[in-house]
Amino acid sequence: MMERTYVMIKPDAMQRGLMGDILSRFEARGLKPVAVKLMRIPRELAERHYGEHKGKSFFDPLIEYITSGPCLCMVWEGDNAIQACRQMMGKTNPQDAAPGTVRGDLALQTGRNLIHGSDSPESARREIELFFNDYELVTYERTMDIWMYE
Ligand code: DAT
Ligand code: MG
């Protein structure tokens, strides 16, 4: 089923020069970029994005971290894209993340885990709406898609 998911490269990945590595994984998998923008996330938006974690012990450090520098905010589209992207990210704690995943290959701590991805169709809808206007989501055909989908 064709899906769209919200993916965000976090400030640690941007500072460490890992943007290209991470993007190339999504691109090579065959996912289609629908929206991309570099953004220093305002605190209020960060708090709304991570609203489900409000009150938890790691909430304040999480907001500090995510607002500490630029993030690359994106929407990727593809067959079962939400789960596919979550798999490519790896488990929340990089120590539990499998090799071959972004977190398993490139990170060591939960509080510096490089990337965010929506965890369900409901969060994908909510997060895409939070970060993008309709006119920023680009619908287009790719000739390569006949080599991606049967
Ligand atoms: P994910 O980013 O894998 O969807 P999540 O939604 O449970 O994970 O948490 C959001 C972010 O909050 C996560 O990427 C890092 C931080 N976080 C989660 N659990 C944490 C914990 N136990 N200690 C410190 N930071 C945590
Ligand atoms: Mg999450």
Side-chain angles (χ1 to χ4, degrees), residues 2 10 34 43 66 70 87 94 97 100:
M2 279 303 161
K10 295 178 177 178
V34 163
R43 172 170 292 267
I66 217 70
Q87 276 177 351

Side-chain angles (χ1 to χ4, degrees), residues 115-127:
I115 187 163
H116 167 85
S118 308
D119 62 7
S120 68
E122 296 69 41
S123 4
R125 235 188 324 275
R126 187 182 75 84
E127 292 167 0

Side-chain angles (χ1 to χ4, degrees), residues 43-71:
R43 172 170 292 267
E44 186 192 88
L45 178 55
E47 289 180 355
R48 283 179 68 193
H49 172 64
Y50 279 126
E52 62 170 315
H53 297 304
K54 197 157 184 142
K56 295 183 187 167
S57 60
F58 59 84
F59 184 74
D60 289 346
L62 175 62
I63 298 302
E64 285 303 314
Y65 160 51
I66 217 70
T67 58
S68 66
C71 288

